Amino acid sequence: MKLVSPYTSSARPVNFKFRAARKGAKHLIVIFTSIRADRSWLDFDHDGPLLAHNRANLLWIYDNFGAEYSYYLTENRNFEIEVAVSQLIAEVIDQLGLSSSDCTMVGMSKGGSAALRLGIRCNAKNILALTPQLAIGSYLLNRKRSAIIEYMSGNTLATDIEWLNSLVPEVVRSDSNRDRNIYLITSPYDPHCIDYLDEVLPYFRRYSNFSLISTASDLTRNHLQTLHYNVPFVVSLLTILAEGLAPRFGEDSNGFGFDGSGHRDRHFKLGPKHGGLLAGPG
């Protein structure tokens, strides 16, 4: 591939890493990052072991467009960043001789939010979102990340929170292409996702292959634990998607239950709320 980082054929330069496919694979996986202690780190690191055996073309994109994170979308409500990232992805697909049907978008946490929005914007066939923030503004407000709120929306008013909250649900609601494979992985203790699922779940269910996996385990008692627990599952699924296959899981739970300490109560309580997704006791 001729492209070199940063990609500059757009209004905003985009920094990335790329690894060519192996064993004749004809697929592209685009990886979006979470909020990290060191912003130079990449999720599923290109030099690390997690994707070492994946055969697809791998494109890791950095979210370092300014002093704060942008979710690969916007600065001061200007979507030049989203457009630039989309242009890079389109250019890579073109140079590889692939199409959007040969593409998987994946991310965890912040990266999961980006994978959902940009996956739809770029018409990706597969979207894999691990513990995404479905309501970006509320998450940032609750985590006291006002600098990111201000960077993305221009201010920190209630209207800015509401605007940020709309960024992911609006693209899911308005998506006319129902022929996607969307995998959403969360848990009852992942409030970034599960607490805001009601509004958007009916629209996710319109897709021809929508899988919602909620982890039933005492090892997933918060957002970060849910993310870490499910990394092996995500790595395995990416290996399968790279082979051109798209499993159908439906709405189900993974994990090995609970130790009886009472932490299963929230899991069972959410069962009826989300259409019987989570099995009740007995």
Side-chain angles (χ1 to χ4, degrees), residues 35 63 68-79 81 110 113-114 117 133 136-137 139-140 145-156 160-161 163-165 167-168:
I35 294 176
D63 186 4
E68 293 296 338
Y69 290 104
S70 70
Y71 278 71
Y72 300 89
L73 300 177
T74 176
E75 178 183 2
N76 197 24
R77 301 202 185 198
N78 183 314
F79 286 92
I81 293 172
K110 173 177 74 73
S113 305
R117 180 168 169 112
Q133 283 111 40
I136 294 172
Y139 160 73
L140 294 173
R145 295 188 177 274
S146 58
I148 303 178
I149 297 173
E150 187 169 1
Y151 179 82
M152 293 181 68
S153 63
N155 211 323
T156 56
D160 297 294
I161 305 303
W163 181 77
L164 290 169
N165 282 348
L167 292 180
V168 173

Side-chain angles (χ1 to χ4, degrees), residues 17-77:
K17 294 281 187 180
F18 177 79
R19 195 199 77 188
R22 302 169 181 177
K23 304 289 186 180
K26 302 293 184 182
H27 198 80
L28 172 67
I29 296 175
V30 181
I31 301 148
F32 301 99
T33 64
S34 60
I35 294 176
R36 308 300 297 267
D38 185 333
R39 296 184 69 197
S40 68
W41 296 349
L42 287 171
D43 296 333
F44 307 111
D45 189 0
H46 61 285
D47 293 324
L50 289 178
L51 297 181
H53 299 290
N54 193 294
R55 295 174 175 173
N57 296 281
L58 301 177
L59 176 65
W60 293 267
I61 305 179
Y62 291 94
D63 186 4
N64 57 359
F65 299 95
E68 293 296 338
Y69 290 104
S70 70
Y71 278 71
Y72 300 89
L73 300 177
T74 176
E75 178 183 2
N76 197 24
R77 301 202 185 198

